[in-house]
Amino acid sequence: MCTNFLLAVPTVPAVQGNPTQFISTRCMELTGGLATNLYLVPAQQTFPIVANQSKGWTGSYGFVGLGDPQSMAKTPCFVDGINEVGLSCAALWLPGTQYPSSASSNPLEFCDIAAWAMSQFATVTDVVAALADVNVIGPAVGVQGYLPLHFIATDATGASVVIEFVGGAMNVYPPDYANGATSDGVLTNAPPYDWQRVNLSSYVHLSVEGAGTSISNDSGPPVGSGLLGLPGDIMSASRFVKAATFRQGFGLLPDDGAGWLPTPATAGATGSTQTIVNVALQMVQMIQATPYGTALLSPTHPSLPQQPHPHPHLKARSPSVGDWTMWQVARDHTNFVYYYSTAFNSIVQKVDLASVDFGGGSVAADALKSIQVMPASSAWYNDASSSFA
């Protein structure tokens, strides 16, 4: 399970030409342990990085992308990233996905979609146009290499497109879908995207705006009363509603930041970047709500799968750890920066794409430069014991 959404805030301090700052965020939640590296993919990289059925292309933009180092040399599949001009692409889990099995021309394997988008395009408009000229293919359910994925790409203007594969056909939800529905950048898991948007319409009464605060002396409705009825579970449909609802708050505040950016001096007078990156990383974890050890897998015995009571000679088994959030990222589409933190190391790491050298030409998969993300390789705390003044 995963959750993705987009936040937009006024740029404070002001930056000429960028009145609005767009930050998208997502988390990765799966079962077991997923080794993850952040790879630097140079501009002019030739694709596919490892030969497969995709029609070859040469990239125009460099990007950084998260992938599994254990499979990178054989079947590279970037599950998240952003390119040097602010276009990101993320792959999220969509159970029930069915890819077309073959293509008469211009084939593109599903595992190459993120690299295909980030290496070639600056805008979502360009991605949507190019999708009409490729034929995405993938293995059938249960066949080796099958992963049920859907995708969302977001650019520096805040535009997003969602790409899914249902019943063996590609469904594209461009920026003008349902009066601009994709502009919130919200994507979770199953059911498919169109169902999620219809379901969301049942929660239009929800509001993050209220009549008081926790220190108000009035006798009006309590804080959060506008969210009465908000789903509280970790199911995909509930997370979709929570993400779409909570992100609305920033759109209700003064659009020049007056009164709320920078934050109060007692909070550090943080500008838009520090504020929104931290809020994004906090919010995506709050909405996902699956810290390690909180979603367990029920025990079963293979010889007695339906037995209501354990056999007296069989030792009862304990639950095991199921899904948990492994890492989360924040993508700054305005300043071309990628932030990430992990389950057991909440210290935020930053990669400024403007300071990264994307030159050097194409390299082999095993020669891609990378940073180990999961398990985290840096210190998980800052010792403040000697900082008392």
Side-chain angles (χ1 to χ4, degrees):
M1 297 191 294
C2 313
T3 300
N4 187 97
F5 57 89
L6 177 70
L7 300 175
V9 298
T11 303
V12 177
V15 176
Q16 187 174 4
N18 289 321
T20 304
Q21 186 169 2
F22 295 101
I23 302 282
S24 65
T25 182
R26 72 82 60 93
C27 59
M28 171 64 83
E29 190 233 39
L30 284 173
T31 304
L34 180 65
T36 307
N37 283 9
L38 181 65
Y39 291 90
L40 189 161
V41 181
Q44 304 303 313
Q45 173 72 36
T46 57
F47 297 91
I49 296 177
V50 175
N52 58 22
Q53 296 183 71
S54 293
K55 181 180 180 180
W57 76 92
T58 300
S60 300
Y61 301 108
F63 66 89
V64 294
L66 291 170
D68 179 0
Q70 297 173 355
S71 62
M72 185 58 63
K74 295 181 179 179
T75 54
C77 183
F78 296 105
V79 296
D80 200 276
I82 188 170
N83 72 15
E84 57 185 312
V85 290
L87 184 132
S88 69
C89 191
L92 286 74
W93 207 252
L94 181 63
T97 291
Q98 292 179 291
Y99 303 104
S101 59
S102 62
S104 58
S105 62
N106 298 331
L108 176 67
E109 289 205 13
F110 79 99
C111 57
D112 285 330
I113 288 177
W116 172 84
M118 291 188 291
S119 67
Q120 297 188 94
F121 307 112
T123 70
V124 163
T125 298
D126 292 339
V127 172
V128 172
L131 282 169
D133 295 325
V134 297
N135 294 291
V136 176
I137 57 174
V141 178
V143 174
Q144 183 177 5
Y146 171 81
L147 294 173
L149 302 177
H150 58 169
F151 301 83
I152 183 167
T154 302
D155 67 23
T157 71
S160 294
V161 57
V162 172
I163 308 161
E164 295 185 337
F165 302 90
V166 178
M170 180 170 68
N171 296 332
V172 178
Y173 301 93
D176 60 357
Y177 170 74
N179 297 316
T182 65
S183 63
D184 60 13
V186 176
L187 191 64
T188 55
N189 311 109
Y193 186 72
D194 55 351
W195 185 98
Q196 300 278 15
R197 297 308 313 194
V198 172
N199 182 63
L200 180 62
S201 65
S202 298
Y203 296 88
V204 293
H205 63 283
L206 297 177
S207 175
V208 296
E209 190 174 358
T213 70
S214 57
I215 58 174
S216 295
N217 294 321
D218 58 52
S219 58
V223 175
S225 59
L227 294 173
L228 186 63
L230 179 75
D233 60 82
I234 62 174
M235 301 285 283
S236 173
S238 298
R239 287 182 282 109
F240 197 101
V241 172
K242 287 189 285 186
T245 301
F246 281 123
R247 67 167 300 280
Q248 292 177 353
F250 290 101
L252 301 176
L253 293 166
D255 58 11
D256 60 356
W260 65 284
L261 282 177
T263 55
T266 51
T270 63
S272 58
T273 299
Q274 183 178 351
T275 301
I276 203 62
V277 167
N278 279 280
V279 167
L281 292 172
Q282 293 166 22
M283 193 183 299
V284 76
Q285 293 179 74
M286 174 189 73
I287 292 168
Q288 187 69 35
T290 50
Y292 186 83
T294 61
L296 302 183
L297 184 64
S298 297
T300 59
H301 194 282
S303 64
L304 300 170
Q306 305 298 325
Q307 187 80 7
H309 303 289
H311 190 280
H313 299 298
L314 291 177
K315 183 178 180 181
R317 297 176 61 189
S318 300
S320 58
V321 174
D323 283 18
W324 53 283
T325 301
M326 300 178 183
W327 47 257
Q328 46 279 326
V329 306
R331 322 175 192 95
D332 187 338
H333 300 269
T334 304
N335 298 305
F336 316 146
V337 181
Y338 197 69
Y339 300 90
Y340 64 90
S341 60
T342 64
F344 307 115
N345 190 334
S346 60
I347 296 177
V348 178
Q349 306 295 321
K350 169 186 173 181
V351 175
D352 185 349
L353 275 70
S355 66
V356 172
D357 182 6
F358 287 107
S362 188
V363 297
D366 59 4
L368 290 171
K369 296 179 180 179
S370 67
I371 299 170
Q372 181 175 309
V373 172
M374 190 79 186
S377 58
S378 57
W380 63 274
Y381 62 87
N382 178 44
D383 191 343
S385 305
S386 61
S387 299
F388 292 100

